Amino acid sequence: MLSDSDLTALLITLKLAALTTLILLLIGTPLAWWLARSRWRFKFLIEAVIALPLVLPPTVLGFYLLIALGPNGPIGGLMQSLGGQPLAFTFTGLVIGSVFYSMPFVVQPLQSAFKAIGTRPMEVAATLRASPLDRFFTVAVPLARPGFLTATVLGFAHTIGEFGVVLMIGGNIPGQTQVLSIAIYDHVEVLEYSQAHWLSGGLMVLSFLMLISVYALNRRFSFHNMGDST
Amino acid sequence: MTIEARFKIKRQNFTLDVELNIPDNGITAVYGDSGCGKTTLLRAIAGLEFSQDGYLRVGHKLWQDGSFFVPPEKRSLGYVFQEASLFPHLNVRRNLEYGLKRVPHKDSKVSLERAIDLLGISHLLDRSSTQLSGGERQRVAIARALATSPRILLMDEPLSALDLKRKQEIMPYLESLHEELKIPVLYVSHAPGEVARLADHLILLEQGKLKASGKLDDMLTRLDLPLAHGDKAAALIHATVAGHDSEFNLTYLDFPGGRFTVAHKDLNINHPVRLRVIARDVSLTLEHQTHTSILNIFPATVEEMTPEGTAQIMIRLLVQGVPLLARITRKSASLLALEPGKQVFAQVKSVALLS
């Protein structure tokens, strides 16, 4: 069964994934809305930057983040000059890294969900006296509900599964930055296969259940397009 | 009080450039071929389209003057889109309440019950908005717009997405709006039938420009406008039911120029009706024919004549001031020596009741 240190790793992983997803929903929603609506000609540059973690080896991303967050990097240096700690090898550093790493998994589903709504429902709401913020929350968000569900689950699951970035910027400090995927790696390294089995199998079941619920719920939530369909 | 509008909106393939005075009462049809800018005009009035040097005043409320621009949600208007555009995540009742809830209480003059009543949708309230027929959806959308007690109602071809049967299902409701509401309605359409049945005024657009505007019955018979030409050219006559003949099963309809006799219609005395008299169903004689099967004969004055193709002539007549169109051959016109000012008798072969 699970040892105490495995349980700690599990808790850190869940905390990391939950916090990362929350932050990503807060940042990603306005960003995705802007990407879905803006006609700025250089928008594609931002889209490419957000998509980078999809194609980069996580170690590359982790390497640059390590440098940026370390005492001599711009972010870590800033923290230090403000009297704080450099962020490399801390839980906060892990959260920052995960936000970058999982961003496309949250932003992209939201962006396509917002895009699919079109402009008409928002115009209808405007002619029914709803202010921009009002119509965003009462029309755009409910209509993009499948997108929010997908974004939340993918963001969460992807953060749970991260390895390379964590290894680079978090190190492997039990109780602070040791997450599940790294605990599994450690077990395998010292040939503790049964522990590795428990953790891996559990992670697999968890991920599978999350994906099943997304796909099932999204089928129930999907609305007919406005106007047509009889 | 009128609605004053001036817009200049450039789009990729056309420019809307109009200056309009829209009557502050009744239904004003915005008519023209597709692509003439009807929808853009309506969207500009709603504030959904911005033009740099636009101007819009509705009654004494200024909605736009150059860069002073009241956003759509602050304009007291109802907008009915071509497709009903109900919110799919809300049921019918909550769709209806969406706008109502956002109108300050003191500005709420039309109650939800009345809007529901006018459109006959009380049986749909708890239904999902995705499970309605096209006609039902459009009726809910109209009621939703009315429930905000708008100062003006804008309708963008509300019937064009519906088949003939649904159109006929919705028409009576639109007609009752006309009788019951005191607010001006701007009704975009490219269907002459709808316009003739509903509108009081007409704005004619052509390639983004204002071609003409005025009272509908006048506009339909103005020979300088395209409406008064072609096979479907027809005059519109407002009449009231004067009585019924039970022996021959007929109904008498009075208008300022005389009395129409038509097959019996089950309508109350004094009920207002709209009649459509198609130009090719009107023939002219110099003397009052007595031995004829035609019942509806009126003395008239030739006002204006223009050639219609190479063989025919379109003639605008006045029957005691009421305009009527007649399309006859050029040969007949020559034989009768017709010219403006000449007294004739107009024989109306058939007449259609529009409402």
Side-chain angles (χ1 to χ4, degrees), chain B residues 144-161:
Chain B
R144 181 175 67 176
L146 285 180
T148 63
S149 311
R151 172 71 178 74
I152 178 172
L153 183 62
L154 309 171
M155 301 177 100
D156 186 4
E157 307 206 34
L159 302 186
S160 70

Side-chain angles (χ1 to χ4, degrees), chain A residues 149-172:
Chain A
L149 190 66
T150 308
T152 307
V153 173
L154 287 187
F156 190 83
H158 189 248
T159 309
I160 284 184
E162 78 179 85
F163 180 81
V165 176
V166 178
L167 198 63
M168 295 296 277
I169 61 172
N172 189 2

